[in-house]
Amino acid sequence: MQAYKLKGKIDSAGNLVITEPVNLPPGDVEVIVLQAIEKLDNITVPASEPQTETPKRRTKINALQNWFEKTQPAPPDFNPDQAKWEYLKDKHNL
């Protein structure tokens, strides 16, 4: 299978419209859609403004929903390899 990257958009009716010429032979194709996300640069929350509510993470697994609501997301500087090393050092008295 050969991959091609093309530009397109979704119209108001929900149809995918390819916005550039396609030089491909007729036949079946498989489409993978990656939606562009707008980045919001330089957004900061003032330190004096407390965050009142943590965002809720949803899951289709009912048994995990309560656990997700009680846990906090990992901090941005979290290093999983370092955490594993710290755990193993403690576990094996290294």
Side-chain angles (χ1 to χ4, degrees), residues 9-17:
K9 66 179 183 175
I10 306 295
D11 66 12
S12 59
N15 297 313
L16 172 63
V17 179

Side-chain angles (χ1 to χ4, degrees), residues 4 9-10 17 19 46 51 54 66-68 71 74 83 85-86 89 94:
Y4 297 91
K9 66 179 183 175
I10 306 295
V17 179
T19 57
Q51 292 185 355
T54 58
N66 191 29
W67 181 74
F68 275 155
T71 60
W85 172 242
E86 294 296 327
K89 276 191 336 188
L94 299 176

Side-chain angles (χ1 to χ4, degrees), residues 10-54:
I10 306 295
D11 66 12
S12 59
N15 297 313
L16 172 63
V17 179
I18 304 298
T19 57
E20 59 188 61
V22 179
N23 188 16
L24 297 172
D28 292 337
V29 297
E30 183 175 339
V31 178
I32 298 172
V33 177
L34 303 173
Q35 185 179 19
I37 299 175
E38 293 181 27
K39 279 189 171 181
L40 301 176
D41 294 332
N42 300 328
I43 293 181
T44 58
V45 177
S48 61
E49 207 175 285
Q51 292 185 355
T52 56
E53 188 175 320
T54 58

